[in-house]
């Protein structure tokens, strides 16, 4: 059964805004931190929201397109090798999570490799990667549903307390998969969305676009969100979408990372639009097309650092800003409590 987002009580918004406005500062002086504080309060349905209990999940899977098509500058084996690097603590997301005290687990959603058990590895493998979307549906309807449900179940089992969820991904070829999904979900032109991924040159980008055009010629542009996932989805992207749905049921803020995580968010929104208030878009990736997608969604990310790494790194870097938003709302004095004169 699909998770149901906890309802947002909009009647709390004026109370939260009043609390924000009465802090010892000019109106709106903390800029977008004020919007994040308001969003956290609405998510948690309280005037004193918390951001002290984060959790990070990195979902990993392989993609059928990479078996025979040049859509990445790196070989397919890098997916499982990077999972091993995550488990050894050596990746950028490990460094940032350690820096900010964020617990991290890696989810094997569908890597084409058998891993030995590890305390930081969640075995959620549903297949050894997706199918080649040029010749067949990448997932098929049954697997798409199972993947979303699996991602939701993982988040439903995360320990309490939990108030911020950081989602990242790893999968050679997943910018190609995300491009197909975003093209179908948003209607944005393929040429706007196809980027360099792991570092393709101009000729590589052209070849990648040609492969994606072949996939679209086979599968078309479905209107049903589940059919889009079935035709073009990745196992890690579908599980991330399910994770977002489950987070909204638990009143947990989701920090949406870059291009691939945004594709998961767009898929989740297409399935359940009510999750929108639970999503905090953390950064604009340097991957071509991400800005266009964010503009299409009408959202402004917290950071723009020219990142294009994935793994949840942009979301982890934005986490201290979310913490700061909750902290000023809870700890900053008001004009009344500080005995400071208000403006005339």
């Amino acid at each position: 059964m699909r998770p149901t987002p906890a309802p947002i009580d909009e009647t709390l918004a004026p109370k939260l805004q009043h609390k924000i406005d009465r802090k010892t500062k000019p109106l709106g002086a903390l800029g977008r931190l004020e919007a994040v504080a308001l969003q956290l309060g609405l998510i948690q349905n309280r005037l004193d929201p918390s951001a002290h209990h984060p959790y990070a999940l990195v979902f990993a899977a392989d993609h059928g397109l990479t078996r025979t098509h040049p859509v990445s500058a790196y070989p397919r084996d890098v997916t499982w090798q990077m999972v091993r690097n995550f488990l050894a603590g050596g990746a950028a997301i490990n460094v940032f999570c350690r820096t900010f005290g964020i617990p991290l687990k890696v989810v094997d959603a569908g890597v084409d490799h058998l891993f030995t058990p590890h305390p930081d590895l969640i075995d959620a493998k549903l297949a050894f990667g997706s199918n080649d979307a040029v010749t067949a549906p990448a997932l098929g309807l049954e697997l798409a549903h199972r993947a979303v449900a699996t991602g939701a179940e993982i988040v439903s089992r995360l320990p309490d307390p939990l108030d911020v969820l950081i989602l990242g991904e790893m999968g050679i070829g997943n910018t190609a998969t995300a491009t197909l999904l975003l093209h179908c979900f948003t209607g944005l032109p393929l040429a706007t969305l196809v980027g360099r991924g792991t570092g393709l040159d101009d000729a590589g980008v052209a070849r990648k676009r040609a492969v994606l055009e072949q996939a679209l010629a086979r599968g078309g542009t479905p209107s049903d969100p589940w059919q889009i996932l079935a035709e073009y989805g990745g196992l890690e992207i579908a599980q991330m979408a399910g994770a977002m749905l489950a987070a909204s049921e638990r009143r947990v803020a989701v920090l949406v990372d870059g291009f691939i995580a945004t594709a998961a968010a767009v898929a989740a929104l297409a399935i359940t639009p009510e999750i929108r208030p639970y999503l905090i878009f953390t950064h604009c990736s340097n991957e071509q097309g991400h800005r266009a997608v964010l503009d299409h969604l009408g959202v402004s990310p917290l950071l723009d650092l020219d990142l294009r790494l994935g793994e949840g790194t942009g979301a982890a870097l934005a986490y201290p800003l979310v913490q700061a938003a909750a902290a000023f709302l809870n700890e900053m004095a008001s004009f009344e409590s500080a005995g400071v004169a208000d403006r005339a």
Side-chain angles (χ1 to χ4, degrees):
M1 188 172 182
R2 199 160 66 241
T4 302
I8 297 293
D9 180 8
E10 294 292 347
T11 65
L12 189 62
K15 298 175 184 177
L16 281 162
Q17 191 63 56
H18 178 77
K19 184 177 180 181
I20 292 167
D21 291 344
R22 296 308 298 162
K23 298 299 183 182
T24 47
K25 60 175 181 58
L27 285 174
L30 284 176
R32 291 174 53 208
L33 279 186
E34 298 189 13
V36 174
L38 178 65
Q39 188 173 358
L40 286 174
L42 290 174
I43 287 170
Q44 297 178 22
N45 198 35
R46 51 192 286 187
L47 292 172
D48 57 344
S50 166
H52 295 308
H53 308 289
Y55 211 98
L57 295 171
V58 177
F59 291 80
D62 277 300
H63 296 258
L65 285 170
T66 64
R67 288 193 178 96
T68 54
H69 304 289
V71 296
S72 174
Y74 284 81
R76 184 180 177 89
D77 282 349
V78 169
T79 301
W80 72 260
Q81 291 166 355
M82 279 302 298
V83 168
R84 188 172 61 184
N85 190 25
F86 296 143
L87 297 175
I93 187 60
N94 299 101
V95 174
F96 297 154
C97 283
R98 284 197 297 269
T99 300
F100 303 128
I102 304 169
L104 170 65
K105 298 286 186 184
V106 183
V107 181
D108 176 7
V111 181
D112 193 4
H113 186 80
L114 287 173
F115 298 101
T116 56
H118 189 283
D120 292 329
L121 179 67
I122 298 173
D123 184 2
K125 190 193 300 289
L126 299 178
F128 289 92
S130 59
N131 298 318
D132 180 355
V134 169
T135 58
L139 299 180
L141 275 174
E142 181 184 357
L143 190 54
H145 279 280
R146 285 178 58 206
V148 171
T150 299
E153 183 179 4
I154 290 169
V155 169
S156 72
R157 293 182 176 180
L158 291 180
D160 285 322
L162 174 67
D163 45 40
V164 176
L165 182 63
I166 292 166
L167 298 176
E169 39 60 43
M170 177 62 215
I172 293 300
N174 62 9
T175 59
T177 295
T179 298
L180 289 169
L181 292 172
L182 288 167
H183 169 70
C184 293
F185 280 121
T186 68
L188 290 167
L190 200 64
T192 299
L193 298 171
V194 178
R196 300 188 184 279
T198 50
L200 292 170
D201 58 15
D202 289 345
V205 172
R207 289 192 296 269
K208 179 179 175 180
R209 179 177 171 182
V211 170
L212 301 187
E213 288 172 344
Q214 292 176 53
L216 289 168
R218 180 203 58 78
T221 309
S223 57
D224 177 76
W226 288 106
Q227 195 62 48
I228 293 172
L229 276 177
E231 292 293 343
Y232 305 117
L235 289 164
E236 84 280 38
I237 295 173
Q239 288 197 15
M240 289 169 69
M244 294 176 187
L245 296 175
S248 71
E249 187 171 57
R250 293 186 64 176
R251 291 196 176 276
V252 172
V254 177
L255 305 192
V256 182
D257 191 52
F259 187 69
I260 292 97
T262 299
V266 170
L269 284 165
I271 295 168
T272 307
E274 293 81 8
I275 73 162
R276 181 68 175 263
Y278 290 89
L279 305 179
I280 298 175
F281 290 84
T282 59
H283 80 105
C284 181
S285 169
N286 197 33
E287 178 68 12
Q288 178 174 317
H290 195 207
R291 173 67 69 183
V293 175
L294 295 173
D295 289 346
H296 176 84
L297 293 173
V299 297
S300 296
L302 294 176
L303 300 171
D304 190 346
L305 300 173
D306 288 336
L307 304 174
R308 56 181 182 87
L309 179 58
E311 303 177 8
T313 49
L317 288 169
Y319 170 64
L321 295 178
V322 177
Q323 274 192 310
F328 97 76
L329 183 60
N330 294 328
E331 301 173 25
M332 189 174 173
S334 67
F335 286 104
E336 293 81 2
S337 68
V340 174
D342 202 348
R343 64 179 185 173

